[in-house]
Amino acid sequence: MSFLAGSDDAKKESGEEKEKPSFDSNNFKDLINSLGMAAYRKDKDKLRRITAVCSAHLLNCDQILQLVKLTKGCNCDVAVICYGSVSDKENFSKTVLSAFKWDEEKEEVKTKIKTKYGESLE
């Protein structure tokens, strides 16, 4: 994986990396519908699909919140994966993080975001 990370860093430095487009509402509705289908019954399949979407698109906090609510078994992981593609980071804590019922879940998300992205959340 470090090889891939190095490639990403090289792209950033050379200016090759382009900003990801926002995920439009029609495609997002299709994503939500598809995640409810039998093909995505397992959490790992949902995570794989969400990871693919996040690698290509920016999501806003309202969209991320919907994904978190849809993925009860892996919602902390979904929040962390989506954080790397959030278009409105200033709203993440009040919109997404505050939606978690348990303090332990909130702390898990904060810790994983700090580890993965090097950013601290309030």
Side-chain angles (χ1 to χ4, degrees):
M1 289 213 176
S2 61
F3 175 77
L4 293 176
S7 297
D8 290 342
D9 291 340
K11 286 180 184 178
K12 286 179 186 175
E13 289 175 13
S14 69
E16 290 178 39
E17 185 173 342
K18 296 180 180 175
E19 187 170 328
K20 297 184 268 188
S22 296
F23 203 50
D24 70 67
S25 59
N26 289 331
N27 285 333
F28 186 75
K29 287 177 190 174
D30 290 343
L31 172 65
I32 293 293
N33 290 335
S34 72
L35 290 173
M37 299 175 81
Y40 295 104
R41 194 172 302 146
K42 295 180 181 177
D43 289 341
K44 69 177 184 171
D45 296 328
K46 289 177 184 173
L47 287 172
R48 189 177 303 125
R49 180 69 179 121
I50 291 168
T51 300
V53 167
C54 288
S55 70
H57 298 281
L58 293 174
L59 300 173
N60 63 49
C61 286
D62 291 329
Q63 291 172 324
I64 295 170
L65 179 60
Q66 289 180 56
L67 291 172
V68 165
K69 288 180 177 181
L70 181 71
T71 55
K72 291 291 182 195
C74 56
N75 56 0
C76 290
D77 291 330
V78 169
V80 174
I81 290 166
C82 291
Y83 184 80
S85 296
V86 66
S87 61
D88 53 343
K89 283 187 181 179
E90 67 278 3
N91 296 322
F92 190 86
S93 290
K94 71 178 180 183
T95 304
V96 179
L97 199 57
S98 67
F100 286 93
K101 182 177 180 180
W102 306 106
D103 288 339
E104 293 82 4
E105 291 175 317
K106 292 176 186 178
E107 287 305 315
E108 178 182 344
V109 172
K110 287 180 186 180
T111 300
K112 287 182 176 182
I113 286 173
K114 175 72 173 165
T115 301
K116 186 169 183 166
Y117 302 105
E119 296 183 24
S120 297
L121 299 176
E122 298 175 7

